[in-house]
Amino acid sequence: MGEVMKNKQVLFKDYVTGVPKESDLCIGESTIALKLPEGSNGILVKNLYLSCDPFMQFLMRKTEGHGVFSSYKPGAPITGNGVAKVLESNHPKFKKGDYVWGTTSWEEYAVLEKPDALFKIEHTDVPLSYYTGILGMAGVTAYAGFYEVCHAKEGERVFVSAASGAVGQLVGQFAKLRGCYVVGSAGSKEKVELLKTKFGFDDAFNYKEEHDLAAALKRCFPEGIDVYFENVGGKMLDAVILNMRLRGRIAVCGMISQYNLSEPEGVKNLMLLIDKRITMRGFVNFDYYPQYNKFLDTILPPIREGKITYVEDIAEGIESVPAALVGLFRGRNVGKQVVVLAHE
Amino acid sequence: MGEVMKNKQVLFKDYVTGVPKESDLCIGESTIALKLPEGSNGILVKNLYLSCDPFMQFLMRKTEGHGVFSSYKPGAPITGNGVAKVLESNHPKFKKGDYVWGTTSWEEYAVLEKPDALFKIEHTDVPLSYYTGILGMAGVTAYAGFYEVCHAKEGERVFVSAASGAVGQLVGQFAKLRGCYVVGSAGSKEKVELLKTKFGFDDAFNYKEEHDLAAALKRCFPEGIDVYFENVGGKMLDAVILNMRLRGRIAVCGMISQYNLSEPEGVKNLMLLIDKRITMRGFVNFDYYPQYNKFLDTILPPIREGKITYVEDIAEGIESVPAALVGLFRGRNVGKQVVVLAHE
């Protein structure tokens, strides 16, 4: 039967419109037998670190089916990325004692019946929490967008919006490692300072304090922008297009400024794509998961050599999930938002 | 000195705002000595066919300098593409009797002091007027967008807007030659009929009669669009993005619906670029001029074999230029708008 444990869960209350609120989630308490069910081909895990990610707000809405994931179910635990320890495995890819990262059910203990998409963590000389971000989804996102979509070259001028977030901070550092000039935008003085002092951006600005985004970009890029790593959309995208150079590339990773508007802002400067021969390309991180080992080969050495800095905003305990997750949608986090449930 | 001839010219009156009118141009009459000036390194030509092109409306405005060409000069003859016969040459690339195509001064006879960018016409077994379109700028544009930007593959679903124009009719036929399913939009019943009966489009619709463009596209492409050859922008682009398939490609050639608005319409569906992994790429035909011979190798055989149909809307005489050119900006032409000045 296995020991029966209390098992706190992050429960989804009901479909949301607009920006999710803390009260759209609640903490429930159930029990779980620490034993895989009879006939299960899955794994039983103890969740250690949960990764708060912007895409999760979409799963809190009733979607109409074109999305990549399906909506959360009212009354059930939410799912999301996390790092977990395998307590028991009936799956050939994993064994007891392994650490894994990927999509997990957000509760203290979970039975994952289809663990095929989880990654086994092979390198434990770096903090396990890194697999919620720099060595997980955010890392692959930054890597794919910067190296595989933008093809930024040494000496090129790179702009990153939402630059202090989990993805942006990495893109900026990849750009510096490649010898680019890189500028980031963020939404507070504190974040802007972090970009310049901690992550090595050449320059940064607080978009909330600029009444003319195009002028701010012109000031930072008098000769224009070669590569834009797009995280925000809307007015910022229009301002960037105005400031792009010939044959510029825009990797479209997210448009966080648009997600909670009743109607998206229209982007007006697309005609300039022609004269400037601009390429805009949308991408989704998990298309690049098959290249995960190549990604690790690229990123582990500079992490171990201290050449990449990574800032996490860590909240403690499953009870802190609603506030941490909802804070992310409002830009309250500084760096990667993680919730730690247990350290091992 | 050379024979002195009357030389009618198409003169530009003054900078225009909004859609150019016939009265923004006038026909002037000067004289010209049919002899190159002393010390000239240029060529003297007799213009035969003039090519009315959408981009010319930009040159009628006072531009602010980011554009590719500079504005016309009030009081001077306008310039544009054309086919001409060389009457005299001091330039090593050309000799008397050659036919050329490229940018010429819009008058009956012209001295072209910098003819380097002109193409010498090597194949005269096809109509000379074709070098204003299918074998000239429009042809290279369709070729570059379809083959080099979209990379459309056999069996893919291709949509072309402004499909009965000089470029669109070719893109549709390239798509059919490649084994694609192709649908076009145009602005009149007559043009839609032409697309279906003459150019072999699988389907076509009149965008002016569709109150819901997204629904019209859904009807024509129940499984979505792989490749969009973008000529119009605005609401059509939004509707297309909604109907694009995973990993779709948009070749941005022009946005003719936006050129004469005081402010461009905003495009609202760009967020879908992400989930759908769409690539949008702006391109300019003359980047592909170095591949002109490769283009001819592709297009001449099907023209000679009668596998490509080409419709020209031919006006006679230099006096018809203002009406023909302005009609183009209002969609009055059916097929490539040409003005014939002389047949040889």
Side-chain angles (χ1 to χ4, degrees):
Chain A
M1 269 298 294
E3 190 184 356
V4 174
M5 301 285 286
K6 280 191 194 166
N7 188 30
K8 288 186 190 162
Q9 304 175 310
V10 182
L11 300 174
F12 178 52
K13 282 206 201 148
D14 203 354
Y15 299 115
V16 165
T17 53
V19 189
K21 302 178 300 297
E22 261 186 72
S23 58
D24 294 320
L25 299 168
C26 67
I27 304 301
E29 197 172 304
S30 66
T31 58
I32 185 170
L34 289 191
K35 182 95 191 108
L36 280 169
E38 198 75 27
S40 166
N41 296 312
I43 60 176
L44 171 71
V45 300
K46 180 183 182 186
N47 286 311
L48 305 179
Y49 300 93
L50 301 178
S51 167
C52 297
D53 289 303
F55 77 87
M56 297 173 74
Q57 65 193 293
F58 298 121
L59 311 194
M60 298 176 76
R61 298 185 195 162
K62 200 159 192 166
T63 58
E64 283 150 34
H66 76 261
V68 172
F69 298 101
S70 44
S71 303
Y72 294 140
K73 285 188 187 57
I78 64 172
T79 56
N81 271 276
V83 170
K85 184 173 185 173
V86 178
L87 302 184
E88 190 187 353
S89 173
N90 285 343
H91 190 280
K93 196 170 150 189
F94 306 103
K95 64 177 194 303
K96 183 177 172 180
D98 282 350
Y99 293 101
V100 296
W101 76 265
T103 302
T104 186
S105 179
W106 281 29
E107 45 195 329
E108 290 174 295
Y109 298 92
V111 171
L112 305 175
E113 285 293 356
K114 290 182 174 172
D116 303 77
L118 291 174
F119 289 88
K120 185 173 161 180
I121 292 175
E122 307 280 1
H123 306 273
T124 53
D125 60 319
V126 289
L128 277 178
S129 63
Y130 277 22
Y131 290 92
T132 65
I134 187 172
L135 296 177
M137 201 173 69
V140 175
T141 305
Y143 170 85
F146 185 74
Y147 290 104
E148 305 281 337
V149 180
C150 296
H151 300 289
K153 293 182 285 288
E154 188 179 342
E156 286 197 316
R157 300 151 188 88
V158 176
F159 177 57
V160 189
S161 54
S164 71
V167 174
Q169 56 172 282
L170 286 175
V171 173
Q173 294 181 82
F174 286 152
K176 288 315 298 174
L177 286 175
R178 179 144 282 198
C180 299
Y181 171 80
V182 61
V183 178
S185 64
S188 75
K189 199 178 161 188
E190 181 189 15
K191 291 176 183 177
V192 166
E193 275 311 295
L194 202 63
L195 292 177
K196 292 200 272 193
T197 56
K198 187 105 185 164
F199 298 128
F201 281 65
D202 295 290
D203 204 348
F205 64 88
N206 178 353
Y207 71 89
K208 290 180 181 167
E209 288 185 350
E210 301 286 347
H211 69 282
D212 181 343
L213 291 173
L217 289 166
K218 183 83 186 161
R219 185 179 74 226
C220 296
F221 295 96
E223 296 178 79
I225 299 165
D226 294 295
V227 165
Y228 175 41
F229 196 102
E230 160 71 308
N231 287 314
V232 307
K235 290 183 182 65
M236 182 67 91
L237 177 55
D238 256 338
V240 169
I241 292 173
L242 271 181
N243 282 282
M244 289 295 281
R245 284 162 65 85
L246 210 60
R247 299 190 174 78
R249 286 138 278 149
I250 300 177
V252 188
C253 177
M255 294 199 174
I256 201 164
S257 75
Q258 305 298 296
Y259 294 157
N260 288 302
L261 303 179
S262 57
E263 188 175 29
E265 293 175 287
V267 173
K268 298 187 172 172
N269 291 327
L270 291 176
M271 266 195 291
L272 294 177
L273 297 191
I274 304 169
D275 271 5
K276 298 189 180 195
R277 289 83 150 168
I278 293 170
T279 302
M280 267 181 88
R281 193 168 145 210
F283 72 101
V284 170
N285 44 39
F286 48 71
D287 287 346
Y288 299 87
Y289 280 6
Q291 298 177 44
Y292 184 66
N293 285 329
K294 187 177 159 201
F295 157 72
L296 285 184
D297 290 345
T298 306
I299 198 168
L300 279 173
I303 289 177
R304 288 175 177 141
E305 291 160 24
K307 286 184 186 160
I308 287 192
T309 300
Y310 185 59
V311 171
E312 296 176 316
D313 192 331
I314 294 192
E316 292 277 340
I318 196 163
E319 289 81 0
S320 65
V321 166
L325 185 58
V326 161
L328 180 78
F329 306 148
R330 288 174 169 75
R332 288 195 197 124
N333 59 304
V334 175
K336 170 68 197 181
Q337 183 66 57
V338 180
V339 178
V340 53
L341 305 190
H343 290 279
E344 70 167 340
Chain B
M1 267 302 291
E3 189 183 355
V4 174
M5 300 285 285
K6 281 191 193 163
N7 189 29
K8 288 186 189 162
Q9 304 176 307
V10 182
L11 300 174
F12 179 52
K13 284 207 199 146
D14 203 355
Y15 300 114
V16 165
T17 52
V19 188
K21 302 179 300 296
E22 261 186 71
S23 58
D24 293 320
L25 299 167
C26 66
I27 304 300
E29 196 172 305
S30 67
T31 57
I32 186 169
L34 289 191
K35 182 92 191 115
L36 280 170
E38 198 76 30
S40 166
N41 295 312
I43 60 178
L44 171 70
V45 300
K46 179 181 182 188
N47 287 311
L48 305 179
Y49 300 93
L50 301 179
S51 167
C52 298
D53 289 304
F55 78 88
M56 298 172 74
Q57 65 194 294
F58 299 121
L59 311 193
M60 298 177 75
R61 298 184 195 163
K62 200 158 192 165
T63 58
E64 283 151 34
H66 76 261
V68 171
F69 297 100
S70 45
S71 303
Y72 293 140
K73 286 188 186 57
I78 65 172
T79 56
N81 271 276
V83 170
K85 184 174 187 173
V86 178
L87 301 184
E88 189 185 356
S89 173
N90 285 343
H91 190 279
K93 197 170 149 187
F94 306 102
K95 63 176 195 302
K96 183 178 172 178
D98 282 349
Y99 294 100
V100 296
W101 76 266
T103 302
T104 185
S105 178
W106 281 28
E107 46 194 328
E108 290 175 295
Y109 299 92
V111 172
L112 304 175
E113 284 295 356
K114 292 183 174 170
D116 303 79
L118 291 175
F119 290 87
K120 183 172 160 181
I121 292 174
E122 306 281 0
H123 306 273
T124 53
D125 60 320
V126 289
L128 277 179
S129 63
Y130 277 22
Y131 291 91
T132 65
I134 187 171
L135 296 177
M137 201 173 69
V140 175
T141 305
Y143 171 84
F146 186 75
Y147 290 105
E148 305 282 334
V149 179
C150 297
H151 299 289
K153 292 183 285 289
E154 187 180 341
E156 286 197 315
R157 300 151 188 87
V158 176
F159 176 58
V160 189
S161 53
S164 71
V167 175
Q169 56 173 282
L170 287 175
V171 173
Q173 293 181 84
F174 287 152
K176 288 315 298 173
L177 287 175
R178 181 145 278 200
C180 299
Y181 171 82
V182 60
V183 177
S185 65
S188 75
K189 197 178 162 186
E190 181 188 16
K191 291 177 183 179
V192 166
E193 276 311 294
L194 201 62
L195 292 177
K196 293 201 273 193
T197 56
K198 187 107 185 163
F199 298 128
F201 282 65
D202 295 290
D203 205 348
F205 64 88
N206 178 353
Y207 71 89
K208 290 180 181 166
E209 287 184 350
E210 301 286 346
H211 69 281
D212 181 343
L213 292 173
L217 289 166
K218 182 83 187 163
R219 185 179 74 225
C220 296
F221 295 97
E223 296 177 80
I225 300 165
D226 293 296
V227 165
Y228 174 41
F229 196 101
E230 161 70 308
N231 286 315
V232 306
K235 289 182 183 65
M236 183 67 92
L237 178 55
D238 255 338
V240 170
I241 293 174
L242 271 180
N243 282 282
M244 288 295 281
R245 285 162 64 85
L246 210 60
R247 299 192 173 75
R249 286 136 278 148
I250 300 176
V252 188
C253 177
M255 293 197 174
I256 201 166
S257 74
Q258 304 297 296
Y259 294 156
N260 288 302
L261 303 178
S262 57
E263 187 175 31
E265 293 177 288
V267 173
K268 298 188 173 173
N269 291 329
L270 292 175
M271 266 196 290
L272 295 177
L273 297 191
I274 304 169
D275 271 7
K276 298 188 179 194
R277 289 83 150 169
I278 292 170
T279 302
M280 267 181 88
R281 195 169 142 209
F283 72 101
V284 170
N285 45 36
F286 48 73
D287 287 346
Y288 299 86
Y289 280 6
Q291 299 176 45
Y292 185 67
N293 285 330
K294 187 176 158 200
F295 157 72
L296 285 184
D297 291 344
T298 306
I299 198 167
L300 279 174
I303 289 177
R304 288 173 177 146
E305 293 160 24
K307 288 183 183 161
I308 288 191
T309 300
Y310 184 60
V311 172
E312 295 177 318
D313 192 331
I314 294 191
E316 292 277 340
I318 196 164
E319 288 82 0
S320 65
V321 166
L325 185 58
V326 161
L328 180 78
F329 306 147
R330 288 175 169 76
R332 287 194 198 125
N333 59 306
V334 176
K336 170 69 197 179
Q337 182 65 59
V338 180
V339 178
V340 54
L341 304 191
H343 290 278
E344 70 167 336

